[in-house]
Amino acid sequence: MKILITGGAGFIGSHVVRLFLNKYPDYEIFNLDALTYAGNLENLKDIESKENYTFLKADINNIEEVEDLFEKYNFSKVIHLAAESHVDRSISDPLVFVKTNVIGTMNLMNAALKNWKGNFQDKLFYHISTDEVYGTLGETGLFTETTAYDPNSPYSASKASSDHFVRAYGETYGLPYVISNCSNNYGPNQFPEKLIPLFINNIVNNKSLPVYGDGKYTRDWLFVKDHAEAIDLAFHCGENNETYNIGGFNEWQNIDLIHLLCKIMDKKLDRNNGDSAKLITYVKDRPGHDKRYAIDAGKINKELGWKPSVTFEEGLEKTIDWYLNNKGWLKNVTNGAYKDYYQKQYKR
Ligand code: NAD
Ligand code: TYD
């Protein structure tokens, strides 16, 4: 089986590539990635010399490039993770989100349709999406697969749009697809613009911890390796043209999560209990900030038998240990352009 994985040099993609390479030595894995600021081949150092692995530096916004690769390699299945993925960046530069997340996804599907020529036997377009497409929840309730889409940020609007196009391609052209919508991921290799790695890095460097608004926003957190396992299951056992919600059964208000993180960091860094929490600084809220996300992962649990394997405390500890043991990785990704981003986003 020749599988094209897009965005494999990013956070979640690198865990998916590693899982597939190690678990399925008979598959040929092609990792297509443009290596934007978020893509990093260091994430894949341990597996890059495997015989069944090929890295393809290419941009999904370039249709000729994508079509040429389909023609050259005849991929039979696609796992599509490449995207612009950070809400704050989508607020300052929305257009690139439309280009990569919407047009890029359509380019991939168009190239697949052209190459597969109506023969959909053993073909699959697996589109990785987010729970943010459902918008925001109040105090109660959970997102299910039938919750109406109601995106509030340019990021979630672009992901919602791409999900709609995938479904439309299924209905209109017969493209066999699976979509999964997952909650917030955390774990090793996540770029330090997202809450958890940003705050770990700032605590290490004694920098302030910018909490948006009142900090009482709720997210449902899932360890990235558990997401990769869910993708593996949905890819192999999911029904064509179905959607699966994936979540951690693990809701935290930001401020409670941040206090837990600070407490663990104090221990790991041999600081007095309470030292890291002194860095907490409330800052201006994010515009259009969704109050609460929470996933009902009952369908993938009942139909495919998936559930998370680690508790949040275990996952957080593994994550912190990884960042503390990989300070070189952190240093490399926070050089150069990151400094400009940080200055613009946080004015400090
Ligand atoms: P990421 O930002 O860490 O990685 C994205 C990858 O895509 C990078 O390697 C980047 O180089 C690549 N890429 C970007 N634009 C490209 C282009 N034009 N052509 C080719 N490659 C390009 O993202 P992530 O957090 O790993 O998210 C991966 C996918 O999972 C995304 O589709 C995202 O919407 C979805 N998702 C993420 C989360 C989360 O919490 N991070 C949760 C649910 C769903
Ligand atoms: P983030 O990791 O950006 O994920 P998402 O917006 O996709 O859920 O943010 C997680 C939560 O943390 C969200 O409610 C915004 C908040 N947040 C802060 O309070 N400060 C920050 O500097 C960042 C990046 C996020």
Side-chain angles (χ1 to χ4, degrees):
M1 197 188 310
K2 289 187 174 187
I3 307 177
L4 174 66
I5 300 182
T6 70
F11 166 49
I12 302 171
S14 62
H15 289 276
V16 174
V17 166
R18 178 176 298 99
L19 176 70
F20 272 67
L21 280 173
N22 288 332
K23 194 163 168 186
Y24 306 107
D26 292 345
Y27 295 177
E28 281 185 68
I29 303 294
F30 298 84
N31 170 17
L32 182 165
D33 200 297
L35 300 180
T36 67
Y37 79 92
N40 185 352
L41 288 179
E42 252 192 85
N43 293 344
L44 294 164
K45 268 226 149 359
D46 55 319
I47 48 87
E48 67 187 4
S49 59
K50 283 200 180 274
E51 267 182 23
N52 56 336
Y53 174 69
T54 306
F55 175 67
L56 306 168
K57 184 170 184 316
D59 187 338
I60 59 171
N61 293 318
N62 183 334
I63 182 67
E64 285 84 22
E65 223 171 25
V66 176
E67 282 182 354
D68 287 351
L69 291 172
F70 263 89
E71 200 170 322
K72 181 164 180 198
Y73 295 108
N74 293 307
F75 313 117
S76 57
K77 306 211 174 185
V78 179
I79 306 179
H80 174 38
L81 297 111
E84 289 292 335
S85 69
H86 188 40
V87 173
D88 291 328
R89 288 186 194 253
S90 82
I91 294 168
S92 45
D93 187 9
L95 198 57
V96 66
F97 284 70
V98 178
K99 286 183 184 147
T100 294
N101 298 358
V102 186
I103 311 283
T105 300
M106 293 181 66
N107 284 341
L108 279 168
M109 291 192 294
N110 286 337
L113 285 176
K114 189 171 174 191
N115 186 258
W116 294 345
K117 298 187 181 79
N119 173 8
F120 296 128
Q121 184 80 25
D122 297 323
K123 307 290 196 304
L124 180 67
F125 190 88
Y126 182 0
H127 178 62
I128 306 298
S129 192
T130 167
D131 62 354
E132 304 194 23
V133 298
Y134 299 120
T136 189
L137 289 164
E139 301 272 299
T140 58
L142 299 171
F143 296 133
T144 71
E145 287 80 0
T146 56
T147 302
Y149 277 29
D150 190 18
N152 291 314
S153 73
Y155 165 64
S156 54
S158 69
K159 291 297 289 188
S161 173
S162 64
D163 293 10
H164 288 319
F165 273 109
V166 174
R167 258 189 216 108
Y169 270 53
E171 291 296 320
T172 309
Y173 307 114
L175 182 79
Y177 71 85
V178 166
I179 298 176
S180 56
N181 295 81
C182 189
S183 62
N184 285 62
N185 284 217
Y186 68 97
N189 308 92
Q190 188 170 29
F191 193 79
E193 62 187 353
K194 308 274 167 54
L195 181 75
I196 291 178
L198 176 80
F199 278 32
I200 293 173
N201 188 38
N202 283 14
I203 292 171
V204 167
N205 295 305
N206 264 310
K207 281 170 74 170
S208 70
L209 305 176
V211 179
Y212 294 160
D214 62 4
K216 293 189 174 156
Y217 293 86
T218 300
R219 297 291 182 265
D220 170 2
W221 294 92
L222 178 67
F223 191 54
V224 64
K225 292 187 186 185
D226 280 331
H227 187 191
E229 297 280 353
I231 290 173
D232 177 18
L233 258 183
F235 175 81
H236 286 97
C237 310
E239 292 254 348
N240 274 3
N241 302 11
E242 284 288 327
T243 289
Y244 297 90
N245 277 359
I246 304 169
F249 304 96
N250 179 40
E251 286 183 53
W252 284 78
Q253 273 197 354
N254 291 342
I255 195 64
D256 296 336
L257 185 163
I258 291 160
H259 277 291
L260 174 65
L261 184 70
C262 287
K263 201 169 138 196
I264 306 177
M265 289 295 287
D266 282 340
K267 255 200 223 137
K268 299 268 176 199
L269 295 173
D270 252 341
R271 293 181 183 169
N272 293 324
N273 189 18
D275 276 0
S276 299
K278 287 185 194 141
L279 298 169
I280 292 174
T281 311
Y282 288 90
V283 300
K284 198 162 152 273
D285 210 349
R286 170 190 280 175
H289 198 167
D290 285 329
K291 189 75 191 164
R292 176 170 164 257
Y293 301 144
I295 280 273
D296 176 352
K299 178 175 170 183
I300 192 166
N301 175 254
K302 281 192 206 84
E303 292 185 12
L304 307 184
W306 175 86
K307 61 177 189 335
S309 71
V310 294
T311 65
F312 190 49
E313 286 73 7
E314 285 164 354
L316 204 51
E317 183 135 356
K318 279 179 203 272
T319 303
I320 291 170
D321 286 343
W322 186 86
Y323 281 96
L324 293 179
N325 292 328
N326 289 276
K327 290 210 178 101
W329 183 96
L330 255 181
K331 211 169 168 197
N332 286 346
V333 302
T334 52
N335 268 334
Y338 181 83
K339 294 200 171 79
D340 299 335
Y341 164 76
Y342 201 91
Q343 164 64 27
K344 262 200 211 124
Q345 179 64 25
Y346 298 102
K347 314 277 182 284
R348 58 184 80 221

